[in-house]
């Protein structure tokens, strides 16, 4: 499952936001239906946390330039001072996905944007 999700959320696979959401929904629905009889709550919680970080990483990569990152961080509710500091950060995509993007793109924001949640599907079926 992790390998399949890693392919979908790869930084250079060329999928746009909408196509990535669609493929994620299909893949997650299939895997959760597969695991619905098992008691896989802890495993799926860890996988969900990892998947959200991968999604945040893809969003950060799509913002490409520092000025775009600063503008989008401010739109997400980060104070302008901190947006400038983190938007010009030299850290990699994965580090920023856990750092500033965790505060800028919360789980609720990702859910409203249409990104799937493993635990939502699991709770619905289990």
């Amino acid at each position: 499952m992790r390998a399949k999700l890693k392919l979908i959320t790869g930084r250079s696979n060329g999928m746009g936001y909408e196509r990535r959401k669609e493929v994620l929904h299909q893949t997650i629905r299939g895997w959760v239906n597969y695991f619905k009889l098992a008691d896989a709550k802890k495993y799926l919680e860890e996988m969900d946390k990892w998947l959200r970080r991968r999604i945040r990483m893809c969003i950060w990569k799509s913002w490409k330039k520092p000025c775009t990152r600063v503008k989008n961080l401010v739109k997400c509710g980060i104070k302008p001072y901190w947006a400038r500091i983190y938007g010009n950060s030299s850290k990699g995509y994965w580090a920023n996905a856990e750092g500033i993007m965790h505060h800028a793109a919360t789980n609720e924001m990702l859910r409203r944007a249409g990104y799937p949640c493993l635990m939502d599907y699991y709770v619905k079926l289990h």
Side-chain angles (χ1 to χ4, degrees), residues 40-55:
K41 184 177 180 181
K42 183 173 170 96
Y43 171 73
L44 289 176
E45 281 176 347
E46 290 175 18
M47 187 65 64
D48 196 29
K49 187 177 175 183
W50 176 82
L51 177 62
R52 289 186 181 281
R53 188 171 176 189
R54 293 282 300 182
I55 291 169

Side-chain angles (χ1 to χ4, degrees), residues 49-64:
K49 187 177 175 183
W50 176 82
L51 177 62
R52 289 186 181 281
R53 188 171 176 189
R54 293 282 300 182
I55 291 169
R56 289 181 183 108
M57 180 190 67
C58 292
I59 293 169
W60 186 256
K61 164 111 174 153
S62 70
W63 289 352
K64 295 189 190 276

Side-chain angles (χ1 to χ4, degrees), residues 7-8 12-17 19-20 23:
L7 281 174
I8 296 168
S12 61
N13 64 6
M15 282 188 196
Y17 290 130
R19 178 73 178 132
R20 181 174 283 128
V23 174

Side-chain angles (χ1 to χ4, degrees), residues 1 5 20-38 40-41 44-45 48 51-52 111 114-126:
M1 180 177 178
L5 292 175
R20 181 174 283 128
K21 288 177 199 175
E22 181 183 321
V23 174
L24 278 172
H25 275 289
Q26 292 170 355
T27 306
I28 288 172
R29 195 176 319 118
W31 277 99
V32 171
N33 280 325
Y34 180 78
F35 283 116
K36 72 181 175 186
L37 297 177
K41 184 177 180 181
L44 289 176
E45 281 176 347
D48 196 29
L51 177 62
R52 289 186 181 281
R111 200 174 275 123
Y115 285 101
C117 178
L118 281 161
M119 288 310 296
D120 289 348
Y121 280 116
Y122 182 75
V123 168
K124 196 183 302 181
L125 291 175
H126 200 264

Side-chain angles (χ1 to χ4, degrees), residues 97-115:
E98 186 174 33
I100 191 64
M101 284 301 288
H102 185 74
H103 299 289
T106 61
N107 293 347
E108 188 56 40
M109 288 175 147
L110 291 176
R111 200 174 275 123
R112 276 190 312 226
Y115 285 101

Side-chain angles (χ1 to χ4, degrees), residues 58-116:
C58 292
I59 293 169
W60 186 256
K61 164 111 174 153
S62 70
W63 289 352
K64 295 189 190 276
K65 295 183 178 184
C67 60
T68 306
R69 290 177 180 163
V70 170
K71 278 193 281 186
N72 288 331
L73 285 173
V74 170
K75 283 181 189 175
C76 290
I78 305 298
K79 293 181 181 177
Y81 172 77
W82 292 108
R84 280 193 307 277
I85 289 174
Y86 286 108
N88 292 303
S89 172
S90 62
K91 290 183 179 179
Y93 301 115
W94 189 245
N96 281 313
E98 186 174 33
I100 191 64
M101 284 301 288
H102 185 74
H103 299 289
T106 61
N107 293 347
E108 188 56 40
M109 288 175 147
L110 291 176
R111 200 174 275 123
R112 276 190 312 226
Y115 285 101

